[in-house]
Amino acid sequence: MKVPDLLAARAGLSPDTVALVDTLSGREFSYAQAHDRAGRTAWRLREELGVRPGDRVAVLSGNRVEVIETLFACGRIGALMVPLNWRLSVSELAGIAEDCAPAVLLADETHLAAAQRLGGKVAVLGELGEGGVAGWGFRDEHDPWYLLYTSGTTGRPKGVINTFGMAVVNHLNIGTAIGLTGADTTLNALPTFHTGGINLYTLPTLMVGGTAVIQHEFDPGQILELLSSRVTAFFGVPTMYQLLRDHPGFAAADLSGVRSWACGGSPMPVPLLTELAARGVTVRQGMGMTETGPTVFLLDEANALVKAGSVGRPQAFVEVRLDGGGTEGELLIRGPGVTPGYWNAVADPFTEDGWLRSGDVARRDADGDYTIVDRVKDMYISGGENVYPAEVEQVLHTHPSIAEAAVVGVPDERWGEVGKAVVVPRGPADAAEIRSFCRERLAGYKVPKHVEFVAELPRNASGKILKNRLRPVTWTEEFVVRQEDFTAFADLSGDDNPIHVDPDYAATTVFGGTVAHGMFIYALIRSAVRRHHQGAAFAVTSLMFPAPTRAGERVTVSATVLGDAIEATVTRTDGTTVCTFTGTLATGTRRLSPNPSTRTPGMPLSEEPQISEGSPSSAGSRASASGGSPFSEGPSVSGAAPVSEGAPVSEGARVSEGAVVSGKGGGEGSGAVGWWAGAVGRRAGLQRTFTVDDLTAYARLTGDDPAHAVPESLIAGLFSTLLGTDLPGNGTMYLKQEMTFTDSARPGEAIGAEVTISAVRPGKALVNLHTVASVGERVVCEGEALVMARQFTPHQGETS
Ligand SMILES: CC(C)(COP(=O)(O)OP(=O)(O)OC[C@H]1O[C@@H](n2cnc3c(N)ncnc32)[C@H](O)[C@@H]1OP(=O)(O)O)[C@@H](O)C(=O)NCCC(=O)NCCSC(=O)CC(=O)O
């Protein structure tokens, strides 16, 4: 393929159309003018500054039209433009200058002093030559046009070669995906030293003869004005959308003229995405790399919300593959838009058979949409800027008070992620001083926002620092909880708790509808954890169910893993938390830390949720307050526990003591009043054997492969059966459950489950339970649960 000089071609096709708008100067340039200016810039480079074919022309400048004109000028004289990141320190820029050895460095006034400190030939950007150089006609697609420097895991800057062909292919990918035409005006606010500023969407706009507004700096107020007046398509990183959302002018701005919104650089937080969508701003998530020109993925507009978190499918002119051939693995990319390599071949990013290694781990769902789930490379993204810890660590290691340091990305509300330096000091050390030491040597966005001092860094046996123990790993997944799934789950676990299995019954309870089995929600969490942390040993520490999950609801599981600890929350689309979960997770040979939740049997749970006798939903959400008052009312367990009759239990049989109302729809039975008084110490038990077929059905239903042991959720589900049918009024709901699994049960083994009521609070309809599951003499699981049994009739004399 041969690639035309777009400015020259468009100057012939649509000379008077506005090609470029410069927000710094307020000037606009038609295609004829831009073509002429590019020619005169080329003349100046060649005739006045002595640039020869193959030379590099470095540019240190904020975003302005002259950068784009220089790009075309370089194309005309066969030179390679190298736009430099003006956020970098002089020493970082020196590393790049050393690698690309520019024949000349052009700088705008703001960056002239920094440019001069770099040495070499420096000239002011934007001056035009006396003569002109004609358009380049056609260049071979493989010819290099410009270099874009990125850092890397080695800390050494790498110049990604961008060819003429890559620019065309990117246009075919992104221009087609957003339906870009000559009628469009795009706002280009991404820095022109990155692929984004050049390719999203400046060059594609020039390809179709549209108007590209070159935004000088990220000024949200000015950007809102442009979006409200002339712009039809915008691409930003999530931080930009956040800054726009937070601007006082956002609410009133008329954004109806913008027909296409997209983002890349890093994942858009789902709450921000939803909030913007409610305002009519439907942002499509994309994914690409400097090495891929950049466009690889862009989510369809129709899927922007339903598939939030995903990057969609690969566009037409790019091929992707997941390493290992499964549905999850390192994302490998191939196609005509992929770079031929790095300047000076400082690294080789390709597999032996020619696929680009992205360094990102992706997962493909059944629809063919991809989600980036992890990174292979040691890198984090701050405000759309990739930061390589190796580079920051190299600087930290030169600090006299630092013996050792490791840098990790941690979540940040504004920037998505920011750096945290974990430092082993050598004598007295000061965080602020360490940060300013870094600032002198690194771009501001690379300076760790947090500095933590530790006595030693976690390492594996061969001495490698275990960064995943320093950095929280987060992921989210969505599920739609279907009635038939949790009915099937209830059947599988043998659950008779009417709140789970009988929609008619459940509809009449204060929960107001069929409530998903808590253990089914837990099974979904578990299956998601298994997918994200394959091969990890995993144990639950505590589960809370502050509000019910009802049939048909879409829920999101959001998990954070730091070292051995995992925390997850499950939320409804309206933001209500339906489950929080903590547990331990260990990969490889690391052992799980001892479970801290083990408590003396019979002790009431120490953190009592605040339950008030309000509406179902308010009761639910208040229950989520975990720092509630300590248990203070209701009978204490001590001395109250009668000894269980210990009658042998048979498969499916239930033994219980005392006058317990049981059976579906038992309602506010007459036995309830008296029941409260003597309830503490009551026990109920049942026995159940799970078969291999049950485990297969469980795996099919939940996506969680239990291997060869009966999954915890099925064992814990037995307690639900007991509490659902053996409390007066039945129809109870778990609020909180803590379990310690000390052993596993195999299919074919009879599991005895027993709950003992350890405390009751009739006024609040709360019951504390002690739960034990065993196989013969072997205790498999022991724990505590707090349940809400809202249909209790309060004991006379009790107040609500
Ligand atoms: C979001 C931003 C506009 C924010 O920059 P601002 O102009 O508001 O900031 P500024 O320069 O005035 O600096 C103000 C303060 O913020 C800090 N700061 C600036 N940017 C930062 C960042 N990304 N992360 C962390 N801190 C940052 C500065 O150090 C400074 O701190 P102090 O005052 O302490 O010094 C910028 O970060 C940006 O341009 N990001 C986009 C990068 C990009 O183009 N990525 C490629 C996307 S395309 C792509 O990747 C391909 C694809 O996916 O398809």
Side-chain angles (χ1 to χ4, degrees):
M1 183 178 60
K2 300 285 182 195
V3 180
D5 181 325
L6 294 165
L7 290 183
R10 282 282 153 201
L13 289 165
S14 51
D16 300 327
T17 304
V18 177
L20 295 163
V21 178
D22 189 79
T23 62
L24 177 64
S25 63
R27 287 184 304 168
E28 302 191 356
F29 303 96
S30 67
Y31 275 96
Q33 289 169 322
H35 164 57
D36 177 61
R37 288 171 59 87
R40 291 171 65 191
T41 304
W43 174 278
R44 177 183 181 225
L45 287 172
R46 190 177 68 194
E47 305 301 328
E48 297 168 25
L49 297 169
V51 177
R52 298 284 155 254
D55 279 353
R56 273 76 57 213
V57 174
V59 175
L60 187 60
S61 166
N63 280 14
R64 48 198 290 173
V65 157
E66 288 83 350
V67 178
I68 306 304
E69 290 168 350
T70 304
L71 183 62
F72 281 88
C74 286
R76 289 184 186 188
I77 61 173
L80 282 77
M81 186 171 93
V82 189
L84 299 176
N85 179 343
W86 39 263
R87 288 199 175 95
L88 300 189
S89 66
V90 171
S91 59
E92 289 173 287
L93 290 171
I96 294 174
E98 193 183 323
D99 190 63
C100 70
V104 61
L105 168 54
L106 302 176
D108 64 359
E109 293 77 17
T110 316
H111 300 95
L112 205 52
Q116 276 154 353
R117 284 175 65 193
L118 284 174
K121 188 190 285 184
V122 175
V124 176
L125 175 77
E127 288 177 5
L128 301 176
E130 284 176 7
V133 174
W136 68 62
F138 289 90
R139 290 239 182 251
D140 188 86
E141 64 177 302
H142 300 294
D143 284 352
W145 186 5
Y146 53 98
L147 303 180
L148 293 174
Y149 272 83
T150 65
S151 304
T153 45
T154 59
R156 183 173 173 189
K158 297 186 299 224
V160 178
I161 299 171
N162 279 251
T163 63
F164 291 93
M166 285 168 69
V168 176
V169 173
N170 177 64
H171 165 64
L172 291 171
N173 280 326
I174 194 72
T176 315
I178 67 162
L180 197 64
T181 74
D184 278 310
T185 296
T186 57
L187 178 55
N188 300 277
L190 297 173
T192 49
F193 55 74
H194 279 323
T195 183
I198 293 178
N199 296 307
L200 302 168
Y201 301 129
T202 308
L203 288 182
T205 306
L206 300 180
M207 301 237 177
V208 293
T211 300
V213 178
I214 307 299
Q215 176 67 34
H216 178 60
E217 58 185 25
F218 197 80
D219 173 346
Q222 188 183 37
I223 290 178
L224 283 174
E225 271 169 38
L226 285 162
L227 294 171
S228 314
S229 52
R230 60 192 307 182
V231 171
T232 60
F234 177 72
F235 191 104
V237 296
T239 304
M240 290 177 168
Y241 280 102
Q242 195 171 331
L243 293 171
L244 290 176
R245 191 266 324 259
D246 294 343
H247 190 272
F250 182 72
D254 175 8
L255 303 174
S256 57
V258 184
R259 58 160 199 81
S260 169
W261 304 91
C263 91
S266 61
M268 185 89 153
V270 176
L272 177 61
L273 189 75
T274 338
E275 193 184 334
L276 291 170
R279 170 82 173 73
V281 176
T282 305
V283 184
R284 299 165 65 184
Q285 176 78 50
M287 186 271 174
M289 301 172 65
T290 306
E291 286 84 344
T292 58
T295 311
V296 178
F297 293 99
L298 188 71
L299 196 51
D300 294 344
E301 182 140 356
N303 281 333
L305 289 179
V306 240
K307 282 285 177 116
S310 150
V311 295
R313 293 168 210 170
Q315 293 301 311
F317 284 78
V318 65
E319 265 184 286
V320 304
R321 179 160 82 78
L322 297 178
D323 201 12
T327 52
E328 184 168 318
E330 185 181 1
L331 180 70
L332 306 176
I333 304 164
R334 185 166 79 173
V338 173
T339 182
Y342 299 115
W343 189 250
N344 291 330
V346 291
D348 177 8
F350 299 104
T351 60
E352 275 181 10
D353 51 350
W355 292 78
L356 177 86
R357 289 196 172 279
S358 68
D360 288 315
V361 179
R363 187 166 63 233
R364 186 181 56 243
D365 68 17
D367 299 330
D369 288 306
Y370 287 74
T371 302
I372 307 299
V373 292
D374 202 355
R375 291 173 195 140
V376 179
K377 57 197 169 194
D378 188 8
M379 190 270 279
Y380 64 89
I381 307 177
S382 176
E385 294 284 359
N386 293 0
V387 183
Y388 290 86
E391 200 180 2
V392 185
E393 287 158 6
Q394 273 172 18
V395 169
L396 289 169
H397 287 147
T398 63
H399 190 287
S401 311
I402 294 180
E404 273 192 300
V407 173
V408 289
V410 294
D412 182 84
E413 208 150 285
R414 181 184 178 112
W415 303 110
E417 286 177 284
V418 294
K420 177 174 93 166
V422 184
V423 167
V424 180
R426 196 199 296 277
D430 173 63
E433 190 277 322
I434 289 174
R435 282 173 40 84
S436 64
F437 178 88
C438 289
R439 185 66 191 91
E440 282 163 29
R441 293 157 178 85
L442 292 169
Y445 66 87
K446 296 181 190 172
V447 175
K449 297 261 189 289
H450 311 283
V451 179
E452 186 182 313
F453 295 102
V454 294
E456 61 177 331
L457 294 171
R459 291 178 185 279
N460 68 10
S462 55
K464 187 173 173 324
I465 295 170
L466 295 166
K467 288 213 170 171
N468 58 359
R469 307 195 67 178
L470 304 174
R471 163 186 53 212
V473 173
T474 58
W475 48 261
T476 59
E477 273 205 26
E478 283 195 351
F479 301 96
V480 175
V481 183
R482 300 181 308 168
Q483 169 70 56
E484 61 261 41
D485 288 344
F486 54 75
T487 306
F489 182 84
D491 284 349
L492 195 59
S493 64
D495 187 5
D496 287 342
N497 188 340
I499 201 94
H500 302 132
V501 296
D502 182 345
D504 294 337
Y505 175 87
T508 64
T509 69
V510 289
F511 308 122
T514 315
V515 177
H517 198 311
M519 284 305 128
F520 180 63
I521 300 297
Y522 169 53
L524 295 181
I525 297 176
R526 217 176 108 111
S527 82
V529 170
R530 286 281 165 83
R531 272 194 296 283
H532 287 271
H533 308 278
Q534 277 173 14
F538 168 57
V540 59
T541 307
S542 91
L543 276 166
M544 303 241 292
F545 298 95
T549 310
R550 300 192 188 94
E553 276 185 331
R554 177 176 291 278
V555 291
T556 305
V557 182
S558 314
T560 304
V561 178
L562 178 59
D564 276 351
I566 177 163
E567 283 179 14
T569 47
V570 185
T571 44
R572 296 181 190 150
T573 45
D574 67 0
T576 308
T577 301
V578 292
C579 175
T580 59
F581 158 85
T582 59
T584 46
L585 188 69
T587 44
T589 53
R590 260 178 30 234
R591 290 186 44 226
L592 291 174
S593 37
N595 192 323
S597 75
T598 314
R599 45 175 81 240
T600 316
M603 284 274 289
L605 296 166
S606 59
E607 283 184 354
E608 176 198 348
Q610 300 288 288
I611 308 281
S612 69
E613 315 284 320
S615 64
S617 59
S618 67
S621 35
R622 266 182 226 124
S624 70
S626 57
S629 60
F631 181 87
S632 57
E633 49 180 295
S636 140
V637 68
S638 53
V643 177
S644 119
E645 286 171 5
V649 281
S650 57
E651 177 74 1
R654 186 173 294 115
V655 286
S656 50
E657 291 182 31
V660 176
V661 178
S662 63
K664 284 189 187 183
E668 297 165 18
S670 53
V673 173
W675 183 91
W676 284 103
V680 171
R682 287 174 195 237
R683 294 179 186 193
L686 62 77
Q687 192 162 294
R688 175 76 203 265
T689 304
F690 291 98
T691 63
V692 172
D693 286 349
D694 290 333
L695 266 53
T696 310
Y698 170 87
R700 206 176 313 118
L701 187 63
T702 63
D704 172 27
D705 180 2
H708 305 293
V710 179
E712 296 159 13
S713 39
L714 283 183
I715 296 174
L718 301 176
F719 303 133
S720 168
T721 294
L722 288 168
L723 68 90
T725 50
D726 289 353
L727 292 175
N730 58 34
T732 53
M733 192 183 83
Y734 279 110
L735 293 172
K736 186 167 177 175
Q737 186 155 31
E738 304 195 46
M739 294 172 285
T740 306
F741 279 81
T742 43
D743 210 335
S744 57
R746 308 264 142 201
E749 287 181 330
I751 302 168
E754 189 180 76
V755 298
T756 309
I757 295 175
S758 50
V760 294
R761 276 157 287 166
K764 293 184 175 177
L766 292 179
V767 178
N768 289 84
L769 304 167
H770 180 67
T771 56
V772 185
S774 23
V775 173
E777 294 295 299
R778 211 172 83 226
V779 173
V780 172
C781 154
E782 192 158 3
E784 304 294 326
L786 178 68
V787 300
M788 178 158 67
R790 291 295 303 270
Q791 289 204 346
F792 281 160
T793 303
H795 178 44
Q796 275 155 8
E798 288 277 348
T799 50
S800 306

